[in-house]
Amino acid sequence: MAWERFASPSGDYDLSHLDPFLLTVSPQDGSAGYRVLVSFGHHTFTREVRAGDEEGLKHAVDGDVRCFCAERHRCSLRLPAIVRASGRGRAYFSQGRNFLLVEDMPGAKGPYAVFFNIGRARAKAFDANLFVVSAYLKPNLPPRRKLASITLVTLIGKTVRGEPITRPKPRMKK
């Protein structure tokens, strides 16, 4: 799905940076890389609707009505680069079923949390689908060192091979 411009009462916002792209992630052992189709949902540039929100700020996708958020849009401009760089980094287990990437944003109040789901591809053109469900500043996110993690390439490899992905057990404090 290609994103159109969003026309709001305060101006037009380009969303094309959130168009899907193909990411190739290679294991460090030199084995064949994985082709991952990356796509983005509208929660990356919208927030929940609140009383008093202007009608012109509402944005709907498949019946999910949200409110355009200039701050989330501004942060989303970095999303493709964050996802591309994550191919060499770690993904963190969220409290729910999805995973997250964490990025520090200069001058922001807290880290930028990028929530995503991953699944095996049904098409032969790529190996996996990575769908960024939501992304926003999350000041109360625990420090990364306290979050269970897995390398993104390992997560993708296990997904493609249909292997179970298990959350590491917390380390016992001595």
Side-chain angles (χ1 to χ4, degrees):
M1 169 179 169
W3 289 102
E4 309 264 331
R5 297 183 74 74
F6 179 73
S8 80
S10 60
D12 284 359
Y13 293 87
D14 183 13
L15 300 174
S16 63
H17 63 283
L18 297 174
D19 286 350
F21 64 89
L22 199 58
L23 173 69
T24 301
V25 178
S26 298
Q28 289 184 343
D29 66 6
S31 57
Y34 302 105
R35 296 173 322 265
V36 181
L37 180 65
V38 178
S39 58
F40 302 89
H42 78 138
H43 286 223
T44 60
F45 60 89
T46 62
R47 59 166 172 75
E48 71 283 347
V49 174
R50 299 178 190 143
D53 283 338
E54 291 182 51
E55 197 62 35
L57 290 176
K58 292 188 178 165
H59 187 276
V61 173
D62 297 330
D64 182 25
V65 180
R66 309 238 329 146
C67 183
F68 179 82
C69 177
E71 179 182 60
R72 284 191 182 200
H73 176 267
R74 179 183 48 78
C75 291
S76 78
L77 295 171
R78 295 193 47 200
L79 266 173
I82 290 168
V83 173
R84 283 183 177 99
S86 72
R88 298 178 303 278
R90 301 195 79 71
Y92 299 89
F93 289 82
S94 73
Q95 289 180 339
R97 293 184 337 195
N98 46 10
F99 298 90
L100 66 134
L101 305 172
V102 180
E103 179 81 7
D104 293 322
M105 297 286 248
K109 296 175 184 164
Y112 186 53
V114 179
F115 295 87
F116 69 93
N117 296 326
I118 189 157
R120 284 165 90 173
R122 294 187 182 128
K124 293 188 184 213
F126 44 92
D127 303 304
N129 293 302
L130 188 151
F131 178 68
V132 177
V133 178
S134 187
Y136 52 90
L137 295 173
K138 192 161 176 62
N140 297 328
L141 186 71
R144 279 176 255 197
R145 70 181 184 280
K146 293 190 175 190
L147 299 172
S149 68
I150 185 171
T151 64
L152 187 66
V153 70
T154 299
L155 176 62
I156 292 167
K158 284 178 171 275
T159 299
V160 169
R161 292 186 302 271
E163 296 174 2
I165 299 161
T166 54
R167 178 186 296 266
K169 293 188 190 307
R171 294 182 187 161
M172 300 302 286
K173 293 184 181 179
K174 293 182 180 183

